[in-house]
Amino acid sequence: MTRTVIESATKTAIIGFDQPFCVIGERINPTGRKKLAAELEAGDFSTVEADALAQVAAGATVLDINSGAVFTNKMAEDPRYADNNFVEPPLMKELVERVQAITDAPLCIDSSVPGALESGLAAAKGRPLLNSVTGEEERLELVLPLVKKYNVPVVAISNDDTGISEDPDVRFAVAKKIVERAADFGIPAHDIVVDPLVMPIGAMATAGLQVFALVRRLREELGVNTTCGASNISFGLPNRHGINNAFLPMAMGAGMTSAIMNPCALPVAASKIEAKKLELAEAGIIVPDDIDLETFCRITGLGSTKSRAGSEMEAIRAANFLTDNDPSGGEWIRFNRAVAAGGADDAAGGRRRGGRRR
């Protein structure tokens, strides 16, 4: 039975066919998050630390750490900051050390810069997951020696020098090539976690069917664990959580064993709360000035003022139970006891819009 072992100094996470689904928290990533990138440029790691703790509380098993920040102000002062090879290695080291200081969750070191990967590997305690290697020849020659040197598992992404193919057979062939090349370095298949690349279903109607078929082949023919960027499937669509909540259990049923995703439902923005109050006022509904905002958000279906587990986490926990990877339903029962006790927007992801009665 294929098992990929990821470790911190004190905790072990296992990705495997006979294991609960492994949630790899994606929030520690400045790509597309200008505010976070600006904080990192200023040496402020408070959001990183808050995101680390929130993701673990929401149920993340592993924390992905991505160092792909753009330091715009420093770039204007020093041209070296325009080069990710200069920016990312020291930033990755700092990120890893900061996160390790506040949580014992195993880590996933994530960068396109080989120097940042090695910097993260050197700073990480235990046995982190490396993210990632592709089928591109240059990438194989740069990353696989690091995987061997540090004896760590690696995410293998199914694209190569020709780019990302829409043909699932081509993506399978790329994955097979990576597994075979890894074997040449003495890296076993159980340390390869393949990302078969999930396409947006809004752009490709067969995207879901493709990935389910690919995951089955990867499991049955190559014997490897799999992962994906879970939210890719719903990109550009309304009600993305609804698509994600269906996709994840279906992918798990096909044999997918992990996903890189956001386990948290983000707090409701103050602007949305004020807009809802104005909407109610226009309808003639008086909202007391001193109303508790958390109560207001819940009764109006906005969600919560607190970070809590997203609805995708509920779907994953249910699927773990249904696939017999939650022995006797213990985790599911604990989860729903928390819901009944009222702490479970923390667990239920604020699914008040659909109307669970108390």
Side-chain angles (χ1 to χ4, degrees):
M1 190 64 71
T2 301
R3 291 183 175 182
T4 304
V5 177
I6 309 168
E7 297 174 324
S8 67
T10 58
K11 183 175 286 187
T12 298
I14 300 175
I15 303 176
F17 304 154
D18 61 342
Q19 299 292 311
F21 194 72
C22 179
V23 174
I24 303 170
E26 69 179 6
R27 290 286 295 165
I28 304 174
N29 185 344
T31 305
R33 297 180 68 187
K34 292 183 179 179
K35 180 176 180 292
L36 177 57
E39 288 179 4
L40 295 177
E41 185 173 14
D44 179 0
F45 292 86
S46 57
T47 296
V48 167
E49 292 168 349
D51 282 347
L53 294 173
Q55 289 182 105
V56 171
T61 317
V62 174
L63 294 177
D64 186 272
I65 297 181
N66 184 295
S67 56
V70 176
F71 288 170
T72 306
N73 294 328
K74 289 186 176 180
M75 195 186 303
E77 301 168 0
D78 185 339
R80 291 179 299 173
Y81 282 94
D83 183 2
N84 278 8
N85 292 288
F86 178 77
V87 173
E88 290 199 39
L91 177 60
M92 178 65 82
K93 179 177 182 293
E94 182 76 9
L95 288 168
V96 168
E97 291 175 347
R98 293 274 184 160
V99 172
Q100 285 181 152
I102 59 170
T103 177
D104 61 355
L107 304 181
C108 176
I109 309 301
D110 183 359
S111 177
S112 60
V113 175
L117 293 177
E118 181 149 29
S119 178
L121 288 171
K125 299 173 183 176
R127 191 174 196 254
L129 177 64
L130 196 65
N131 189 8
S132 59
V133 67
T134 66
E136 298 165 287
E137 286 299 323
E138 182 181 4
R139 191 73 178 173
L140 288 165
E141 293 299 323
L142 287 171
V143 177
L144 290 181
L146 288 177
V147 175
K148 179 62 177 177
K149 176 182 176 181
Y150 287 91
N151 184 30
V152 294
V154 63
V155 173
I157 301 179
S158 299
N159 68 281
D160 60 11
D161 300 275
T162 64
I164 300 173
S165 174
E166 293 187 359
D167 185 340
D169 290 333
V170 172
R171 300 208 299 278
F172 177 84
V174 173
K176 184 177 180 182
K177 169 188 172 181
I178 297 171
V179 171
E180 290 172 347
R181 289 292 294 276
D184 293 339
F185 284 84
I187 301 164
H190 64 250
D191 274 341
I192 309 294
V193 181
V194 173
D195 181 346
L197 291 170
V198 174
M199 305 293 189
I201 197 166
M204 181 188 294
T206 59
L209 294 174
Q210 277 194 12
V211 77
F212 302 149
L214 260 173
V215 166
R216 290 188 189 98
R217 286 192 70 189
L218 290 164
R219 175 171 176 161
E220 293 167 4
E221 297 181 35
L222 299 184
V224 293
N225 282 306
T226 45
T227 195
C228 70
S231 64
N232 289 352
I233 193 71
S234 61
F235 182 78
L237 294 175
N239 189 12
R240 296 186 66 184
H241 293 294
I243 298 292
N244 297 344
N245 292 348
F247 169 74
L248 282 162
M250 293 176 75
M252 292 167 68
M256 186 168 283
T257 47
S258 70
I260 300 171
M261 56 178 281
N262 178 12
C264 301
L266 300 181
V268 180
S271 59
K272 288 189 175 182
I273 295 174
E274 292 307 313
K276 176 59 74 173
K277 287 182 176 180
L278 180 60
E279 177 187 331
L280 293 173
E282 290 174 348
I285 300 171
I286 299 173
V287 178
D289 292 335
D290 60 348
I291 190 170
D292 176 73
L293 292 183
E294 180 66 13
T295 301
F296 177 77
C297 288
R298 289 185 179 185
I299 63 177
T300 56
L302 287 177
S304 173
T305 59
K306 305 170 186 175
S307 179
R308 73 275 188 213
S311 57
E312 289 88 343
M313 294 302 298
E314 184 174 43
I316 287 170
R317 287 185 174 101
N320 279 333
F321 192 7
L322 291 167
T323 55
D324 198 27
N325 284 320
D326 177 8
S328 302
E331 183 60 34
W332 179 251
I333 292 167
R334 282 190 291 273
F335 168 75
N336 282 283
R337 280 178 177 164
V339 172
D345 258 2
D346 306 316
R351 275 184 15 0
R352 302 296 173 231
R353 194 181 306 262
R356 174 185 293 154
R357 293 189 178 185
R358 287 182 174 274

